[in-house]
Amino acid sequence: MAGTLDILQIQELLPHRYPFLLVDKVLECESGVRLLAVKNVTFNEPFFQGHFPHKPIFPGVLIMEALAQATALLTSQSDDKLGKGTTYFLAGIDNARFKKQVVPGDQLRLEVTYIKHKRHLWSFDCRAEVDGELAASAQIMCAAVAAEA
């Protein structure tokens, strides 16, 4: 598969639902190479009530989760053996760095680039940007567990 995914197609591939589905749209997908997706950050998301009431900031751990969901989407589009019902688990985060605060009104661009995989573990180089500026980066491992027949 190469191309785009809308929210309904994303929901077919990931089990996450509001408020934990953190990828709104896939803009570009090159199977086995890279994926570019977006998360539109809006003030009405529930975590902003407590993070932080006086200065709402999108939590860094949720940026990592959004990137991890993007790795799952690229994994799903990169291996024909991974069909509907495959579950993707976050298996590791290395070298996570946070460079810019993400706030309501921002569009978080999630770019994940395939590094390698061995059996069910896939590794990716990941970047989250706002307005062309790096907000966060990490290397993320995704575990793909195929549905049992």
Side-chain angles (χ1 to χ4, degrees):
M1 184 259 159
T4 65
L5 296 171
D6 64 27
I7 192 65
L8 297 176
Q9 293 166 309
I10 291 168
Q11 286 181 320
E12 286 181 18
L13 298 167
L14 297 180
H16 306 80
R17 295 297 179 263
Y18 179 83
F20 218 71
L21 180 56
L22 299 175
V23 176
D24 292 324
K25 185 175 186 174
V26 172
L27 302 174
E28 300 172 16
C29 179
E30 189 177 345
S31 181
V33 179
R34 75 180 268 282
L35 178 137
L36 178 64
V38 294
K39 161 64 178 150
N40 295 307
V41 180
T42 61
F43 183 71
N44 62 345
E45 295 180 81
F47 46 79
F48 283 129
Q49 292 178 21
H51 198 269
F52 300 103
H54 62 283
K55 183 172 173 52
I57 298 171
F58 192 76
V61 295
L62 293 182
I63 295 172
M64 290 297 123
E65 175 63 27
L67 287 167
Q69 290 178 21
T71 69
L73 291 167
L74 181 53
T75 301
S76 76
Q77 301 304 294
S78 299
D79 189 334
D80 293 336
K81 293 182 222 126
L82 301 174
K84 198 170 187 171
T86 298
T87 304
Y88 304 93
F89 295 99
L90 176 60
I93 298 176
D94 292 319
N95 303 315
R97 297 289 180 265
F98 302 93
K99 303 291 186 181
K100 175 182 172 49
Q101 293 179 352
V102 179
V103 298
D106 285 344
Q107 184 177 73
L108 195 59
R109 291 176 63 92
L110 310 165
E111 183 172 8
V112 298
T113 305
Y114 170 80
I115 298 173
K116 65 180 179 178
H117 81 277
K118 187 173 183 180
R119 291 185 289 254
H120 70 286
L121 290 175
W122 296 67
S123 296
F124 301 89
D125 188 42
C126 304
R127 297 174 55 87
E129 296 182 353
V130 174
D131 296 329
E133 245 184 279
L134 181 64
S137 62
Q139 287 188 342
I140 295 180
M141 284 186 5
C142 173
V145 180
E148 294 185 25

